[in-house]
CSV table of all heavy atoms in Angstrom, one decimal:
chain,number,residue,atom,x,y,z
I,12,PRO,N,4.2,3.3,-24.0
I,12,PRO,CA,3.5,2.8,-22.8
I,12,PRO,C,2.1,2.1,-23.1
I,12,PRO,O,1.5,2.5,-24.1
I,12,PRO,CB,3.4,4.0,-21.9
I,12,PRO,CG,3.3,5.2,-22.9
I,12,PRO,CD,4.2,4.8,-24.1
I,13,LEU,N,2.0,1.0,-22.4
I,13,LEU,CA,0.7,0.3,-22.6
I,13,LEU,C,-0.4,1.1,-22.1
I,13,LEU,O,-0.2,1.8,-21.0
I,13,LEU,CB,0.8,-1.1,-21.8
I,13,LEU,CG,1.9,-2.0,-22.4
I,13,LEU,CD1,1.9,-3.4,-21.6
I,13,LEU,CD2,1.8,-2.4,-23.8
I,14,ARG,N,-1.6,1.1,-22.7
I,14,ARG,CA,-2.7,1.7,-22.2
I,14,ARG,C,-3.8,0.9,-21.5
I,14,ARG,O,-3.9,-0.2,-21.9
I,14,ARG,CB,-3.4,2.4,-23.3
I,14,ARG,CG,-2.6,3.6,-24.0
I,14,ARG,CD,-3.3,4.2,-25.1
I,14,ARG,NE,-2.5,5.2,-25.7
I,14,ARG,CZ,-2.7,6.6,-25.5
I,14,ARG,NH1,-3.7,6.9,-24.9
I,14,ARG,NH2,-2.0,7.5,-26.1
I,15,MET,N,-4.3,1.4,-20.5
I,15,MET,CA,-5.4,0.7,-19.8
I,15,MET,C,-6.6,0.5,-20.8
I,15,MET,O,-7.1,1.4,-21.4
I,15,MET,CB,-5.9,1.5,-18.6
I,15,MET,CG,-7.0,0.9,-17.8
I,15,MET,SD,-6.6,-0.7,-17.1
I,15,MET,CE,-8.2,-1.3,-16.8
I,16,PRO,N,-6.9,-0.8,-21.0
I,16,PRO,CA,-8.0,-1.2,-22.0
I,16,PRO,C,-9.4,-0.6,-21.4
I,16,PRO,O,-9.7,-0.7,-20.2
I,16,PRO,CB,-8.0,-2.7,-22.1
I,16,PRO,CG,-7.3,-3.1,-20.9
I,16,PRO,CD,-6.4,-2.1,-20.4
I,17,PRO,N,-10.2,-0.3,-22.3
I,17,PRO,CA,-11.6,0.0,-21.8
I,17,PRO,C,-12.4,-1.3,-21.5
I,17,PRO,O,-12.0,-2.3,-21.8
I,17,PRO,CB,-12.3,0.7,-23.0
I,17,PRO,CG,-11.5,0.1,-24.3
I,17,PRO,CD,-10.1,-0.1,-23.7
I,18,PRO,N,-13.5,-1.1,-20.7
I,18,PRO,CA,-14.2,-2.3,-20.4
I,18,PRO,C,-14.9,-3.0,-21.6
I,18,PRO,O,-15.1,-2.2,-22.6
I,18,PRO,CB,-15.4,-1.8,-19.5
I,18,PRO,CG,-15.3,-0.3,-19.4
I,18,PRO,CD,-14.0,0.1,-20.2
I,30,PRO,N,-5.8,-7.6,-22.5
I,30,PRO,CA,-5.4,-7.8,-23.8
I,30,PRO,C,-3.9,-8.0,-24.0
I,30,PRO,O,-3.5,-8.5,-25.1
I,30,PRO,CB,-5.8,-6.5,-24.5
I,30,PRO,CG,-5.9,-5.6,-23.4
I,30,PRO,CD,-6.2,-6.2,-22.2
I,31,TYR,N,-3.1,-7.9,-22.9
I,31,TYR,CA,-1.7,-8.0,-23.1
I,31,TYR,C,-1.2,-9.4,-22.6
I,31,TYR,O,-0.2,-9.8,-23.1
I,31,TYR,CB,-1.0,-6.9,-22.2
I,31,TYR,CG,-1.4,-5.5,-22.6
I,31,TYR,CD1,-2.2,-4.8,-21.8
I,31,TYR,CD2,-1.0,-5.0,-23.8
I,31,TYR,CE1,-2.7,-3.5,-22.2
I,31,TYR,CE2,-1.5,-3.8,-24.2
I,31,TYR,CZ,-2.3,-3.0,-23.4
I,31,TYR,OH,-2.8,-1.7,-23.7
I,39,TYR,N,-14.1,-5.3,-14.1
I,39,TYR,CA,-13.2,-4.3,-14.6
I,39,TYR,C,-12.2,-3.7,-13.7
I,39,TYR,O,-11.1,-3.5,-13.9
I,39,TYR,CB,-14.0,-3.1,-15.3
I,39,TYR,CG,-13.1,-2.1,-16.0
I,39,TYR,CD1,-12.5,-2.5,-17.2
I,39,TYR,CD2,-13.0,-0.9,-15.6
I,39,TYR,CE1,-11.7,-1.5,-17.8
I,39,TYR,CE2,-12.2,0.2,-16.2
I,39,TYR,CZ,-11.5,-0.3,-17.4
I,39,TYR,OH,-10.7,0.5,-18.0
I,40,TYR,N,-12.7,-3.7,-12.4
I,40,TYR,CA,-11.8,-3.1,-11.3
I,40,TYR,C,-10.7,-4.1,-11.0
I,40,TYR,O,-9.6,-3.6,-10.9
I,40,TYR,CB,-12.6,-3.0,-10.0
I,40,TYR,CG,-11.8,-2.6,-8.8
I,40,TYR,CD1,-11.3,-1.4,-8.6
I,40,TYR,CD2,-11.4,-3.6,-7.9
I,40,TYR,CE1,-10.4,-1.0,-7.6
I,40,TYR,CE2,-10.6,-3.3,-6.9
I,40,TYR,CZ,-10.1,-2.0,-6.7
I,40,TYR,OH,-9.3,-1.7,-5.7
I,41,SER,N,-10.9,-5.3,-11.2
I,41,SER,CA,-9.8,-6.4,-10.9
I,41,SER,C,-8.9,-6.2,-12.1
I,41,SER,O,-7.6,-6.4,-11.9
I,41,SER,CB,-10.4,-7.8,-10.8
I,41,SER,OG,-11.2,-7.9,-9.7
I,42,LEU,N,-9.3,-6.1,-13.3
I,42,LEU,CA,-8.5,-5.9,-14.5
I,42,LEU,C,-7.6,-4.7,-14.3
I,42,LEU,O,-6.4,-4.6,-14.6
I,42,LEU,CB,-9.3,-5.8,-15.8
I,42,LEU,CG,-8.5,-5.4,-17.0
I,42,LEU,CD1,-7.4,-6.5,-17.4
I,42,LEU,CD2,-9.5,-5.3,-18.1
I,43,LYS,N,-8.2,-3.6,-13.9
I,43,LYS,CA,-7.5,-2.3,-13.6
I,43,LYS,C,-6.4,-2.5,-12.7
I,43,LYS,O,-5.4,-2.0,-12.8
I,43,LYS,CB,-8.5,-1.2,-13.2
I,43,LYS,CG,-7.9,0.2,-13.1
I,43,LYS,CD,-9.0,1.1,-12.7
I,43,LYS,CE,-8.3,2.5,-12.5
I,43,LYS,NZ,-9.3,3.6,-12.1
I,44,ARG,N,-6.6,-3.1,-11.5
I,44,ARG,CA,-5.7,-3.3,-10.5
I,44,ARG,C,-4.5,-4.2,-11.1
I,44,ARG,O,-3.3,-3.9,-10.9
I,44,ARG,CB,-6.2,-4.0,-9.3
I,44,ARG,CG,-5.3,-4.1,-8.1
I,44,ARG,CD,-6.0,-4.6,-6.9
I,44,ARG,NE,-6.5,-6.0,-7.2
I,44,ARG,CZ,-7.7,-6.4,-6.8
I,44,ARG,NH1,-8.4,-5.7,-6.1
I,44,ARG,NH2,-8.1,-7.6,-7.1
I,45,HIS,N,-4.9,-5.3,-11.8
I,45,HIS,CA,-3.8,-6.1,-12.5
I,45,HIS,C,-3.1,-5.3,-13.5
I,45,HIS,O,-1.8,-5.4,-13.5
I,45,HIS,CB,-4.6,-7.3,-13.2
I,45,HIS,CG,-3.7,-7.8,-14.3
I,45,HIS,ND1,-2.7,-8.8,-14.1
I,45,HIS,CD2,-3.7,-7.7,-15.7
I,45,HIS,CE1,-2.2,-9.1,-15.2
I,45,HIS,NE2,-2.8,-8.5,-16.2
I,46,PHE,N,-3.6,-4.6,-14.2
I,46,PHE,CA,-2.9,-3.7,-15.3
I,46,PHE,C,-1.9,-2.7,-14.6
I,46,PHE,O,-0.8,-2.6,-15.0
I,46,PHE,CB,-3.9,-2.9,-16.1
I,46,PHE,CG,-3.2,-1.9,-17.0
I,46,PHE,CD1,-2.7,-2.5,-18.3
I,46,PHE,CD2,-2.9,-0.5,-16.8
I,46,PHE,CE1,-2.2,-1.6,-19.1
I,46,PHE,CE2,-2.3,0.2,-17.7
I,46,PHE,CZ,-1.8,-0.3,-18.8
I,47,GLN,N,-2.2,-2.1,-13.5
I,47,GLN,CA,-1.5,-1.2,-12.7
I,47,GLN,C,-0.3,-1.9,-12.2
I,47,GLN,O,0.8,-1.5,-12.1
I,47,GLN,CB,-2.3,-0.4,-11.6
I,47,GLN,CG,-3.3,0.5,-12.2
I,47,GLN,CD,-4.2,1.0,-11.1
I,47,GLN,OE1,-4.4,0.5,-10.0
I,47,GLN,NE2,-4.8,2.3,-11.4
I,51,GLU,N,1.7,-1.3,-16.1
I,51,GLU,CA,1.9,0.0,-16.1
I,51,GLU,C,3.3,0.3,-15.7
I,51,GLU,O,3.9,-0.3,-14.8
I,51,GLU,CB,0.9,0.7,-15.2
I,51,GLU,CG,0.8,2.2,-15.3
I,51,GLU,CD,-0.4,2.7,-14.5
I,51,GLU,OE1,-0.3,2.7,-13.2
I,51,GLU,OE2,-1.3,3.2,-15.1
Side-chain angles (χ1 to χ4, degrees):
L13 300 179
R14 292 181 180 254
M15 177 63 199
Y31 304 110
Y39 188 68
Y40 173 76
S41 297
L42 170 62
K43 183 178 177 182
R44 188 176 58 221
H45 158 79
F46 178 81
Q47 291 169 340
E51 195 170 66

